[in-house]
Amino acid sequence: MTTAKSDTLASRIGKTLADRIISGAIEAGARLRQDHVAEEFGASHVPVREAFRLLESQGLVVSEPRRGVRVAGFTREEVREVAEMRAALEALALRHAVPHMTRAILDQAEEANRAGDRARDVHAWEAANRKFHGIILAPCGMPRLLKAIDDLQTASARFLFSGWRAEWEAPTDRDHRAILDALRAGQSELAVSVLARHVQTIGQKRPK
Amino acid sequence: MTTAKSDTLASRIGKTLADRIISGAIEAGARLRQDHVAEEFGASHVPVREAFRLLESQGLVVSEPRRGVRVAGFTREEVREVAEMRAALEALALRHAVPHMTRAILDQAEEANRAGDRARDVHAWEAANRKFHGIILAPCGMPRLLKAIDDLQTASARFLFSGWRAEWEAPTDRDHRAILDALRAGQSELAVSVLARHVQTIGQKRPK
DNA sequence: ATTCTCAAAATTATCTATAATTTTGCCGAA
DNA sequence: TTCGGCAAAATTATAGATAATTTTGAGAAT
């Protein structure tokens, strides 16, 4: 998750805070105080407020008027909700991506999948996993849909990093391979249904 | 769309601007200049900037860094995209709402539907239509999903008010009745598929 | 006439300061 | 001891001011 040097200050602060929330460095329910954040970044609180709004739109914090923002909690129910939404939207995206799918794209996806195999820590694995999903869905050419999926993937990653899920390699990789195989064989609907089931299982692992 | 008197200034400005964009009072592609808006509302530009962020998260404006925000355009492609996303998410919501569906809820929905019949102008009809969808989907109890659907309905309303669609009564009401009938008969999957098709047709009307 | 350059004007982004609200902690009364 | 209320501290929200960037337009060169 690169902290793009060029962007506006608010979005840079937002991205950094997002990383911390996702990685669990800031725990759920913690209050974020604009002055403290501003001081840390050597900025004033105006861009900090805007960063908060960005995080709010991604569902990473909740904001009560006049009472500040706090890191959004995520109950098992919410995790399930995100997983179901992801399943529905990624299925939609894949259906629209299929007509534009090329051999080259599938090869890229396979490479991302192999990178996931090689990953030693959860962060590297998550990056590869997100890349895989991104590669096979991007050809749908629906920017709003892709943005929504990306936000949901961020929420999922938060769940993943929380340590609730201990094991993550084997079943996911099998699913990824099955999806690629189905796509290569031209069995789009099979690929879609495997993807949908695959995404849903993410939310169904038992807490630690 | 009530401009809640109590909320924070930023969200009040945001709601007012949203109404204008949806109703077409501000045309697509128009630039929104923070000083002008601030002056009109007798406020400073800090809350205006936050209002812009709110609109951005709803997809009503697009913001280029250092170059301000402009009202999001909506091509036929984008309208279709929103319709497909709505179909996918509303289908998901209805599936989860069905187990919690009661006779009373269905009666409320029927009443909202009748209000739609009585509507004389597009605005009243849209309000009733949104209410109908809201009533049958709310029991799913998935707040993030409902919020996403609401944003998509807003985008749809924008399309509706743009005048591209001339006629709107008959087919929609027939669909609504079919959904209610299916729900009453316990045929959930039928209701879901009618709803999905129904929402998708919204994006398929020809431009004027 | 067209295009390029440069300066002025407009606009955005950020900072500093002020007002309003909420939280916190202490003190007294039951 | 516990509860309620009041005052001080902390924090959020907004306003006003400054810096930086982009847009605009005029004038010169081709």
Side-chain angles (χ1 to χ4, degrees):
Chain A
M1 216 142 290
T2 54
T3 311
K5 193 69 172 59
S6 62
D7 254 347
T8 171
L9 179 54
S11 82
R12 239 178 314 166
I13 295 175
K15 278 176 189 157
T16 305
L17 290 179
D19 280 354
R20 286 191 201 164
I21 295 173
I22 295 162
S23 70
I26 314 178
E27 83 246 73
R31 284 183 63 174
L32 291 179
R33 276 166 286 210
Q34 54 185 215
D35 293 7
H36 299 184
V37 176
E39 193 183 13
E40 177 190 341
F41 285 89
S44 112
H45 43 263
V46 178
V48 173
R49 289 177 65 78
E50 295 190 34
F52 285 175
R53 282 297 157 85
L54 179 68
L55 297 174
E56 193 182 4
S57 77
Q58 295 178 314
L60 292 177
V61 307
V62 292
S63 156
E64 299 162 281
R66 289 268 171 204
R67 303 188 59 180
V69 305
R70 49 179 65 247
V71 177
F74 56 121
T75 63
R76 211 169 319 179
E77 277 310 303
E78 290 172 270
V79 173
R80 227 178 76 96
E81 180 176 0
V82 168
E84 302 243 21
M85 289 176 69
R86 266 191 71 182
L89 292 185
E90 292 203 23
L92 174 62
L94 185 55
R95 254 187 217 105
H96 284 269
V98 163
H100 308 103
M101 198 64 73
T102 68
R103 172 59 49 104
I105 294 171
L106 289 174
D107 288 346
Q108 275 181 273
E110 179 130 23
E111 172 47 35
N113 200 25
R114 273 195 293 269
D117 290 343
R118 287 192 301 271
R120 288 175 10 269
D121 62 349
V122 195
H123 273 76
W125 180 82
E126 195 272 336
N129 181 62
R130 182 179 291 217
K131 195 168 182 180
F132 173 85
H133 285 254
I135 287 172
I136 63 171
L137 300 181
C140 73
M142 297 163 90
R144 183 167 190 153
L145 175 58
L146 290 173
K147 171 69 166 60
I149 290 172
D150 196 65
D151 284 348
L152 293 170
Q153 284 174 340
T154 298
S156 293
R158 204 182 152 204
F159 167 61
L160 175 64
F161 294 151
S162 75
W164 285 10
R165 290 178 68 219
E167 89 300 336
W168 30 270
E169 296 109 327
T172 300
D173 288 352
R174 242 191 290 120
D175 285 346
H176 283 188
R177 293 239 152 69
I179 291 167
L180 286 180
D181 289 346
L183 288 175
R184 285 217 166 86
Q187 300 180 304
S188 349
E189 276 311 310
L190 175 60
V192 168
S193 66
V194 172
L195 175 66
R197 184 181 51 68
H198 161 62
V199 170
Q200 271 174 334
T201 61
I202 292 175
Q204 290 173 347
K205 300 289 169 175
R206 78 261 176 278
K208 66 174 163 193
Chain B
M1 214 143 292
T2 53
T3 311
K5 192 73 168 59
S6 62
D7 252 349
T8 171
L9 179 55
S11 83
R12 241 178 312 165
I13 295 175
K15 278 176 189 157
T16 304
L17 290 179
D19 280 354
R20 287 191 200 164
I21 295 173
I22 295 162
S23 70
I26 314 178
E27 85 246 71
R31 285 183 63 175
L32 292 179
R33 275 165 286 209
Q34 55 185 212
D35 294 6
H36 299 185
V37 176
E39 192 183 14
E40 176 190 341
F41 285 88
S44 121
H45 40 263
V46 178
V48 173
R49 288 177 65 77
E50 294 190 34
F52 285 174
R53 282 294 156 85
L54 179 69
L55 297 174
E56 193 182 5
S57 78
Q58 296 178 311
L60 292 177
V61 306
V62 292
S63 154
E64 299 163 280
R66 290 268 170 205
R67 303 187 61 181
V69 304
R70 48 180 65 245
V71 177
F74 53 123
T75 63
R76 211 169 319 181
E77 276 311 302
E78 289 172 272
V79 172
R80 226 177 77 96
E81 182 175 0
V82 168
E84 302 243 19
M85 289 176 70
R86 267 191 70 182
L89 292 185
E90 291 202 24
L92 174 62
L94 185 56
R95 253 188 218 104
H96 284 269
V98 163
H100 307 104
M101 198 65 72
T102 67
R103 173 59 47 103
I105 293 172
L106 290 173
D107 289 346
Q108 275 182 271
E110 180 130 23
E111 172 49 34
N113 201 25
R114 274 195 293 270
D117 290 343
R118 288 193 302 270
R120 289 175 9 270
D121 62 349
V122 195
H123 272 76
W125 180 83
E126 195 272 336
N129 181 61
R130 182 179 291 218
K131 194 167 182 182
F132 174 85
H133 285 254
I135 288 172
I136 63 171
L137 300 181
C140 74
M142 296 163 91
R144 183 167 190 153
L145 175 58
L146 290 173
K147 171 69 165 60
I149 290 172
D150 196 65
D151 284 348
L152 292 170
Q153 284 174 341
T154 298
S156 292
R158 204 183 153 204
F159 166 60
L160 176 66
F161 293 151
S162 76
W164 285 11
R165 290 177 69 219
E167 90 300 338
W168 29 270
E169 297 109 327
T172 299
D173 288 351
R174 242 192 290 121
D175 284 346
H176 283 187
R177 293 239 152 69
I179 292 167
L180 285 179
D181 288 347
L183 287 174
R184 286 217 166 85
Q187 300 181 305
S188 349
E189 276 311 311
L190 176 60
V192 168
S193 66
V194 173
L195 174 66
R197 186 180 49 68
H198 161 63
V199 171
Q200 270 174 333
T201 59
I202 292 175
Q204 290 174 348
K205 301 289 169 174
R206 77 262 176 276
K208 66 177 166 191

